[in-house]
Amino acid sequence: MSPPVQYGGDEVGAVVLDIGSGTVRAGYAGEDAPKTLFPTAYSTVPSSDPSQPPTHVHGVASQLYRPHGTIQSFVSDGIVTDWNAAERAINHAFSDRMRLKSLEEYPLLVTEASWNTKENREKMCEIAFEKWQTPAYYSVDKSVMSAFASGKGSALIIDVGEDLTSVVPIYDGFVLRKAIQKQAVAGSLISEVLLQQLQSQNIPVTPRYLVKTKEAVAPDTPSNASLREERRPNPSDPNAATTPSYHRSQELKVMHEMKETVCEVLTPTWDDSAAQQKPTRPFEFPDGYNSSFSTLRLTAPEILFNPSRFLPQQFTTRPAPPSLSTIASHPPSAFLPLQRLIANSLQQIDPDLQATLLGNIVVTGGTTLLPGFVERLQNEISSIAPGVKVKIHAPANSSERTHSSWLGGSILASLGTFHQLWIGKDEYQEFGKSVVHRRGK
């Protein structure tokens, strides 16, 4: 076997790539934030010439209105499911955003979900060496990197992101895989519930792309806006310029803004009378309609902690997202409260380790930035583990909270002591893409 390639942290900078459920992050090792980040969702626009292939648009430009453009993501269940789209997104990150023609001078560190597949690991390794010509490569576990970014070798990583909530126990830098729990109750589902509740109350949600002009109106009065009639969606017309997937994505974008503006997690636990007494918060929609919201802003995020009561039935009967792994993933019909996911995970762990993990809980993911989330989580975990000291690490900096796996990779790849772990190009050429299993973990 060839000797391992050596890249000391002070000799050459590495590039770190982190593909999450909702966001692609890329940047240079040693920096405290990604150089670029953009949605995993992308736009596909058919050509006016049927003989020509469609145009695919990645990055923030994918959200711009394009007639007949559809929106989809190349990530499902936290892992890549469309490698053609993934390669285009990686090219956009490196070529268009970071202005790199190749990675010939840069080792590449890639993060991956704890339940990533063998085939996916090999494919990413192959892309790194064959397409981007990186001289060295390594893949790391996202949850381990989140623990590393928090300065912890052992931790219970609670990640509530855009599409997934996962509970991953880490002990001495290793993932305890049998104890992983995950389910599709996260930020995007909260946004969908918000939209459904508003529509049930006949509150119109007009996405920004439809609004031409607007004027200020009094609260709870109809909007006074001029709309772009040619862009109005028509679900009954398959040839309509605005596709259902694009319109839906723009509606949920408004709900994402609303969620960040008005939503709050009730503490220390859910209480009907306390919810009624909470003050209202105002929100203005893109067309100028504005109102103040009371219990709705509390019940939507409550699905994280009490889905059986607050998640509408229509969301529990729809098909589960495709899962390519054997990790415990709960279907919509069996969604569990977050505290129950944590309890299930702890039950799969040696009792001697439970106190260590409960004393080193790390929360990550943009949805955990909801006001009251950390306090509520502290109370819920204390109730399922009475008598045990529960300590939660939750960075106040939103960038650290949402990009913790990238940040951990940035720190790791910049360490001089890490240089012996890189998989060199000579090893790849000798063993092929399966080398990632020999050296990657």
Side-chain angles (χ1 to χ4, degrees):
M1 178 176 178
S2 303
V5 67
Q6 296 193 1
Y7 282 94
D10 297 331
E11 299 168 13
V12 62
V15 170
V16 180
L17 175 66
D18 179 20
I19 299 177
S21 291
T23 309
V24 177
R25 309 172 186 92
Y28 297 104
E31 297 189 352
D32 57 5
K35 207 73 173 177
T36 179
L37 56 121
F38 54 88
T40 56
Y42 65 97
S43 175
T44 300
V45 186
S47 172
S48 56
D49 183 351
S51 65
Q52 297 299 314
T55 299
H56 302 288
V57 183
H58 290 264
V60 293
S62 65
Q63 301 301 306
L64 297 177
Y65 178 79
R66 292 178 174 82
H68 307 289
T70 58
I71 298 291
Q72 60 260 57
S73 175
F74 61 87
V75 175
S76 179
D77 199 35
I79 61 178
V80 174
T81 53
D82 182 346
W83 278 102
N84 289 329
E87 287 191 48
R88 295 193 302 266
I90 295 169
N91 183 72
H92 176 71
F94 292 160
S95 296
D96 302 335
R97 307 297 298 178
M98 296 180 67
R99 306 295 185 185
L100 299 174
K101 294 182 179 179
S102 72
L103 295 180
E104 290 181 352
E105 300 178 2
Y106 300 94
L108 176 62
L109 182 78
V110 175
T111 69
E112 60 183 23
S114 303
W115 49 91
N116 199 20
T117 64
K118 176 182 177 181
E119 294 76 17
N120 272 17
R121 299 191 73 213
E122 293 180 351
K123 182 64 176 178
M124 185 62 80
C125 180
E126 182 181 28
I127 291 173
F129 283 113
E130 298 291 348
K131 180 172 182 179
W132 284 96
Q133 303 298 314
T134 185
Y137 173 84
Y138 198 73
S139 61
V140 289
D141 187 281
K142 285 176 177 289
S143 297
V144 174
M145 290 301 97
S146 293
F148 190 71
S150 303
K152 301 180 184 299
S154 298
L156 188 66
I157 309 299
I158 299 174
D159 184 353
V160 189
E162 182 168 338
D163 291 335
L164 282 178
T165 289
S166 63
V167 179
V168 181
I170 310 291
Y171 190 75
D172 280 348
F174 292 95
V175 178
L176 304 181
R177 299 192 178 281
K178 290 184 178 180
I180 295 175
Q181 297 279 310
K182 63 185 175 72
Q183 64 184 14
V185 177
S188 61
L189 185 60
I190 295 175
S191 297
E192 289 188 72
V193 169
L194 273 176
L195 179 61
Q196 184 266 340
Q197 298 287 0
L198 291 175
Q199 291 174 338
S200 68
Q201 297 175 24
N202 295 317
I203 296 176
V205 178
T206 305
R208 193 163 277 106
Y209 81 95
L210 280 172
V211 180
K212 184 185 297 182
T213 62
K214 67 176 180 179
E215 295 182 11
V217 296
D220 297 313
T221 60
S223 67
N224 185 8
S226 174
L227 302 184
R228 303 180 190 274
E229 296 298 330
E230 72 279 5
R231 295 183 177 181
R232 279 190 182 274
N234 183 0
S236 62
D237 181 6
N239 297 316
T242 301
T243 63
S245 64
Y246 179 79
H247 182 72
R248 181 72 170 182
S249 73
Q250 295 305 298
E251 285 182 324
L252 292 178
K253 189 174 181 180
V254 177
M255 293 299 94
H256 180 74
E257 295 171 3
M258 180 179 178
K259 178 177 63 183
E260 289 188 334
T261 304
V262 307
C263 282
E264 179 182 353
V265 176
L266 192 62
T267 59
T269 189
W270 180 264
D271 181 86
D272 289 333
S273 59
Q276 294 289 342
Q277 294 170 11
K278 292 287 284 188
T280 61
R281 287 187 183 172
F283 180 74
E284 181 177 316
F285 293 86
D287 62 356
Y289 175 81
N290 65 96
S291 183
S292 292
F293 296 91
S294 55
T295 55
L296 175 61
R297 71 185 188 87
L298 302 171
T299 56
E302 190 64 20
I303 66 174
L304 296 171
F305 298 96
N306 194 351
S308 62
R309 175 178 175 184
F310 292 99
L311 185 62
Q313 185 177 6
Q314 67 194 71
F315 295 97
T316 64
T317 55
R318 63 184 184 179
S323 176
L324 305 180
S325 67
T326 56
I327 296 294
S329 184
H330 303 282
S333 59
F335 281 156
L336 300 177
L338 177 54
Q339 59 271 27
R340 178 46 51 190
L341 287 181
I342 297 169
N344 288 352
S345 179
L346 292 173
Q347 288 172 2
Q348 304 297 319
I349 298 171
D350 189 316
D352 295 337
L353 306 182
Q354 293 180 7
T356 299
L357 297 180
L358 287 171
N360 292 278
I361 295 174
V362 176
V363 296
T364 181
T367 306
T368 67
L369 292 168
L370 286 171
F373 176 88
V374 175
E375 294 82 358
R376 175 66 174 275
L377 182 65
Q378 176 90 35
N379 181 70
E380 295 290 354
I381 296 177
S382 297
S383 67
I384 63 173
V388 180
K389 182 179 180 181
V390 176
K391 188 174 182 180
I392 297 177
H393 176 80
N397 185 301
S398 61
S399 179
E400 290 184 37
R401 189 90 66 90
T402 55
H403 309 322
S404 66
S405 55
W406 184 93
L407 183 59
S410 173
I411 297 170
L412 181 65
S414 65
L415 295 179
T417 52
F418 180 67
H419 65 273
Q420 293 184 350
L421 292 178
W422 289 110
I423 300 170
K425 194 163 191 175
D426 54 346
E427 290 181 80
Y428 173 77
Q429 292 172 341
E430 182 177 351
F431 296 103
K433 57 188 178 183
S434 63
V435 70
V436 73
H437 305 301
R438 294 168 175 254
R439 296 285 312 285
K441 285 187 180 179

